[in-house]
Amino acid sequence: MAKSRNGLTAVGLSVLGVSLVLLAFTTKSWLVTDEKFEHPKFERIGLWVVCFNDFEDPHHWYDTRSHSCWWVFEGEYYIIDDILFKGFFIATQFFFSTCLLLTIFGIFYSTLYMYLNRAHERFIQILLRAATLYLAAAVCSTIALIIFGTYGDSRVWMPNWENNNIGWSYGVAVTGTITLYVSGVLYGIECRAHMYKRKKMATQRVYYHYDEDDIKQMSLTDI
């Protein structure tokens, strides 16, 4: 079950990519306020957690103030749904969640690749599916990153927009996405290499598979 250096590199990068995507998915620093800005009403936000500091409803419909970090779907946030859940933010959540889901399936095929013998009838299919899943995940993540990078720190979303910056969680997501691209390409190269080897072996079998009658017939023909 020895694997090539290219295959092992693909597995290592896929594990690293999935870990980085998961870290970005669960952390709360996609957008952060400048530390030098005093008394910010908004502190930071991830895909699922937002941190406010004495933030009040800008519509002034309710006399409530938000403090600390809360899940974005917390019931108390229903009064600012129109502010919190902008279309671009929902799209970012959707595409990055899809990316994470695809990488989970990808890890399954990476595990199969590591434990199955290269002579297994589905070995090439496993490599092809792993490559497809990781590349598809990288594309979904790229879409999410472009959307959030374009609108995340704009004036139409969080307060004090001029003091808000893209955070380290976003950077982790970018690194994870690049890693997934490289991993997917390496799986594709590995798949192509094994397809070529199998085709070559099949050709050799056909070439050398002659019985005695065939050899005698060929000898008579030559004479």
Side-chain angles (χ1 to χ4, degrees), residues 32-50:
V32 298
T33 192
D34 191 340
E35 295 181 356
K36 298 179 181 179
F37 182 62
E38 297 182 358
H39 308 298
K41 294 183 179 297
F42 161 76
E43 294 182 347
R44 65 186 63 245
I45 189 172
L47 294 182
W48 311 107
V49 177
V50 59

Side-chain angles (χ1 to χ4, degrees), residues 8-57:
L8 293 176
T9 303
V11 172
L13 288 176
S14 62
V15 173
L16 176 61
V18 174
S19 300
L20 292 173
V21 166
L22 182 61
L23 179 62
F25 185 82
T26 55
T27 51
K28 52 190 178 183
S29 294
W30 279 62
L31 183 70
V32 298
T33 192
D34 191 340
E35 295 181 356
K36 298 179 181 179
F37 182 62
E38 297 182 358
H39 308 298
K41 294 183 179 297
F42 161 76
E43 294 182 347
R44 65 186 63 245
I45 189 172
L47 294 182
W48 311 107
V49 177
V50 59
C51 301
F52 288 126
N53 181 24
D54 198 31
F55 179 78
E56 60 180 329
D57 169 29

Side-chain angles (χ1 to χ4, degrees), residues 81-221:
D81 279 354
D82 59 327
I83 298 173
L84 186 58
F85 292 106
K86 297 291 186 181
F88 79 89
F89 185 57
I90 296 174
T92 301
Q93 289 176 316
F94 172 78
F95 282 107
F96 205 76
S97 297
T98 303
C99 167
L100 180 63
L101 184 62
L102 290 172
T103 58
I104 292 173
F105 286 113
I107 284 294
F108 171 73
Y109 284 104
S110 295
T111 304
L112 288 179
Y113 165 71
M114 289 298 297
Y115 283 95
L116 289 182
N117 190 286
R118 66 182 64 183
H120 193 278
E121 59 181 2
R122 295 186 179 275
F123 190 75
I124 291 178
Q125 293 181 11
I126 289 170
L127 285 170
L128 180 59
R129 290 176 182 177
T132 302
L133 285 168
Y134 287 122
L135 289 175
V139 170
C140 289
S141 178
T142 300
I143 296 172
L145 292 171
I146 291 174
I147 293 173
F148 193 87
T150 302
Y151 299 103
D153 59 350
S154 65
R155 67 178 66 200
V156 299
W157 199 28
M158 290 293 134
N160 306 117
W161 63 272
E162 65 277 6
N163 296 296
N164 298 333
N165 303 299
I166 298 297
W168 65 266
S169 295
Y170 184 90
V172 169
V174 171
T175 306
T177 301
I178 295 173
T179 306
L180 290 178
Y181 272 119
V182 178
S183 174
V185 170
L186 290 179
Y187 275 113
I189 294 173
E190 189 73 3
C191 177
R192 185 175 179 83
H194 281 283
M195 288 176 64
Y196 175 78
K197 289 178 182 179
R198 287 197 178 186
K199 184 177 180 180
K200 185 177 180 180
M201 291 175 62
T203 303
Q204 290 175 345
R205 289 195 189 99
V206 172
Y207 183 77
Y208 291 110
H209 186 66
Y210 298 106
D211 55 28
E212 293 181 359
D213 292 336
D214 292 333
I215 296 175
K216 291 178 181 179
Q217 186 65 35
M218 291 174 63
S219 299
L220 291 172
T221 305

